Amino acid sequence: MAEQRQYEVGMHPDLPPPASLVGVVGWMRANLVSSPANTFFTLLAIYLIYLLIPPMLDWLIFSAAWVGDDNTVCKNETGGPIAAACWPFIKAWMTPFMFGRYPESELWRIKITYVMFGVALLALVIPQVPFKKWFALFLLIPFPVICFYLYVGGSFGLMYVETNLWGGLFLTLVIAITGIVASLPIGILLALGRRSNMPVVKAVCVAFIELWRGVPLISVLFMSSVMFPLFMPEGVNFDKLLRALVGVTLFSSAYMAEVVRGGLQAIPKGQYEGAQALGLNFVKMMYFIVMPQALKMVIPGIVNTFIGLFKDTTLVGVIGLLDFLAMIQAGSSNPDWLGYLTTGFAFAALVYWCFCFGMSQYSQHLERKLHTGH
Amino acid sequence: MSDSNASATDLQAPTKEMKVGEEVVIELNGMHKWYGSFHVLKDINLKVHHGERIVVCGPSGSGKSTMIRCINRLEEHQQGQIIVNGIELSNDLKKIDEIRREVGMCFQHFNLFPHLSIMENLVLAPMWVRNIPRGEAEETAMKYLTRVKIPEQALKFPGQLSGGQQQRVAIARSLCMSPKIMLFDEPTSALDPEMIKEVLDVMIELAEEGMTMICVTHEMGFAKTVANRVIFMDGGEIIEENEPNQFFDNPQHERTQLFLSQILAH
Ligand SMILES: Nc1ncnc2c1ncn2[C@@H]1O[C@H](COP(=O)(O)OP(=O)(O)O)[C@@H](O)[C@H]1O
Ligand SMILES: [Mg+2]
């Protein structure tokens, strides 16, 4: 028998949900033990956490050596390296890890650009700051020029700094950011070219994309540093870093092109027709209607490519550029600091993770911001 | 097709007399089109005068959309002549742009730009095709939004509007370019029945103001109310062409009779 109605028809108030749906207990019941399989995985996860986390924390934090200016604190009774992290190693090598062999007296030139970059980036990320367009424009055009003159020097009374002195995280950032900034527009052009109905343009773009996607980045880098100079006329000498930059950029623009093409393919024909019917020409249609939607749709893919590129910069080590990771390896092969490579790698992992996680978070923020409910 | 006769009586009756000018604004002479080897439009001849309102109907796949899409060169024709507003369509991109500026078009699925607010949808083409400053373009946009009775939606995004509202925005968007001619491709076919009337009412008002219109539609009530001429297409040909009363009460061609009996039977 149904209970008797307590309220007039149409007068039923909103009642609170039953206790099993709310609160901590409700959440745990719904998410952790809702079924036998779920319960099994919950227990498995707890066991794995128990297995992995305590020794990791012990290695990284509790047993680790923290203070000291030389390697003495990182040694055990027998004089070997301790079986835990040796953070003084990182501290002692911080400057080379960050800037390579860039002359110490000139480091302010790099730091100043970091500050500019940081301020502009914050202005872009924090919603309340006005003039976003100008900050973006600054980052895109004057900023790289300023960086170039500051880093290289040799003009405006600045000392000339050879690129083979550049290194560490600084070099990694130079390669990654140049690659990121240059590969997106090149990728967009390649994607458009690949969809063009002009056979020659299309063929060139397809060939270009497939060529770069078909070879490993490491061989691109080798080619650029070993083979390329052989083809050059006597006396013409391109900077090694420049060649690596071009290699990395072209390599990732091929990937970018395919990501962007995926976005272009997802734009319905009606969008093109709507734009054409209004009289927008090809360039305006692409700029105002098609690209914004296509790029927005593939933000995850674009950021994925960026993150891949960021981590792939570690490969420039093989052609003798001393990027962040190569610098860490160099540091731990120093006789004074033998045996602390793991600490170096842990530090490298942390730094790479922070950058990649930051990019990933920013992309999710962008996706949410650009979502217009369709 | 929901009850076409009922919606005919509901529609607001034209309040003004709708005049037709002498000037020919669209002319199709012996126009043919193929999709690959498929002959989709066969010897189309049509003259539309200034201020005329033409309704095109016919079974699905008969080439109605293709025909009106040829008029603003969303499709290319292969033989014959299309002259719009005194300009003959050819491969000349400049001429195509010139014609598209003067010819507005509304689609079955609205084709609003989902990433732009309603206001941005409306001001984009005036600003970037006609080089009208933003302030002025926004003023015009508000004027047309008010006319299609949704000024309060200006800052929303298309995805937040109902189908009927979206189609009215699409009409307003075309009107913001001050077109001389409007093309409609089944503007109410994708709408729920209760929204059809709000869109048709806007179109009727437009007709009253003397807009030259070609509408592909199966809304027979609308055809009776505003059309000067109804064109029936089948198999890529114009089978019959007549003024609405004659067309509905006294169809000449067998295929027209069959088509009418089918849509009126619903
Ligand atoms: N892009 C296209 N490629 C090939 N065939 C098409 C294309 N568009 C339409 N058609 C064909 O052309 C014919 C006419 O289509 P359409 O003009 O859309 O008809 P309607 O609008 O009268 O329903 C149909 O048979 C359709 O299948
Ligand atoms: Mg159609």
Side-chain angles (χ1 to χ4, degrees), chain B residues 59-66 68-69 108 185-186 189 216 218:
Chain B
S60 170
S62 55
K64 310 177 296 291
S65 300
T66 309
I68 68 165
R69 289 156 59 85
Q108 183 172 0
D185 191 0
E186 306 206 28
S189 302
V216 175
H218 291 158

Side-chain angles (χ1 to χ4, degrees), chain B:
Chain B
M1 196 50 29
S2 67
D3 201 349
S4 323
N5 283 326
S7 59
T9 48
D10 292 348
L11 290 174
Q12 61 187 55
T15 49
K16 293 175 226 158
E17 205 186 332
M18 296 179 273
K19 287 214 187 73
V20 175
E22 288 294 297
E23 183 196 351
V24 176
V25 287
I26 301 176
E27 195 173 346
L28 281 70
N29 290 326
M31 192 263 276
H32 291 256
K33 167 161 186 65
W34 288 262
Y35 280 126
S37 59
F38 172 47
H39 197 173
V40 56
L41 291 177
K42 303 164 188 165
D43 191 27
I44 303 288
N45 291 288
L46 179 68
K47 270 199 177 82
V48 182
H49 295 90
H50 184 75
E52 227 181 341
R53 293 147 327 262
I54 312 266
V55 162
V56 182
C57 61
S60 170
S62 55
K64 310 177 296 291
S65 300
T66 309
M67 180 181 82
I68 68 165
R69 289 156 59 85
C70 281
I71 294 173
N72 67 351
R73 198 36 113 115
L74 289 183
E75 302 288 353
E76 194 182 329
H77 66 287
Q78 280 87 32
Q79 203 181 310
Q81 239 185 348
I82 300 180
I83 304 170
V84 182
N85 208 16
I87 305 168
E88 180 173 356
L89 269 175
S90 62
N91 280 328
D92 187 344
L93 286 178
K94 250 199 181 134
K95 284 184 181 169
I96 296 175
D97 283 342
E98 216 171 310
I99 285 174
R100 284 179 180 162
R101 250 175 282 161
E102 308 301 333
V103 180
M105 181 157 190
C106 290
F107 302 85
Q108 183 172 0
H109 296 287
F110 333 130
N111 298 356
L112 294 178
F113 307 131
H115 62 303
L116 299 177
S117 70
I118 301 303
M119 182 50 89
E120 293 302 319
N121 264 276
L122 265 64
V123 300
L124 183 79
M127 282 173 63
W128 295 101
V129 178
R130 290 222 190 270
N131 295 320
I132 294 171
R134 176 173 280 274
E136 197 180 315
E138 285 186 352
E139 233 168 81
T140 317
M142 268 331 268
K143 185 181 99 191
Y144 284 114
L145 275 183
T146 312
R147 255 188 54 185
V148 300
K149 305 187 185 67
I150 34 177
E152 72 284 357
Q153 311 285 6
L155 297 179
K156 289 201 183 156
F157 285 91
Q160 299 165 316
L161 268 54
S162 75
Q165 290 174 324
Q166 291 192 45
Q167 191 60 288
R168 284 184 281 155
V169 170
I171 296 174
R173 182 175 73 177
S174 296
L175 294 179
C176 282
M177 285 292 285
S178 331
K180 295 210 172 73
I181 300 157
M182 284 288 291
L183 307 174
F184 292 87
D185 191 0
E186 306 206 28
T188 57
S189 302
L191 298 179
D192 292 334
E194 78 271 17
M195 295 172 185
I196 292 179
K197 183 176 175 298
E198 63 190 46
V199 171
L200 290 182
D201 281 345
V202 168
M203 289 167 63
I204 292 171
E205 272 182 42
L206 203 56
E208 283 167 8
E209 280 156 27
M211 178 64 77
T212 311
M213 296 163 67
I214 302 184
C215 309
V216 175
T217 180
H218 291 158
E219 292 295 330
M220 292 306 142
F222 174 78
K224 282 178 191 161
T225 319
V226 299
N228 319 78
R229 258 192 297 161
V230 180
I231 287 173
F232 174 71
M233 288 183 72
D234 196 4
E237 287 179 281
I238 294 182
I239 304 285
E240 188 164 344
E241 187 177 336
N242 217 332
E243 56 121 345
N245 288 334
Q246 282 294 313
F247 180 85
F248 289 111
D249 299 341
N250 193 14
Q252 300 297 309
H253 204 283
E254 208 177 302
R255 279 196 259 179
T256 320
Q257 291 162 3
L258 181 67
F259 175 75
L260 285 176
S261 70
Q262 275 167 350
I263 66 163
L264 295 178
H266 272 269

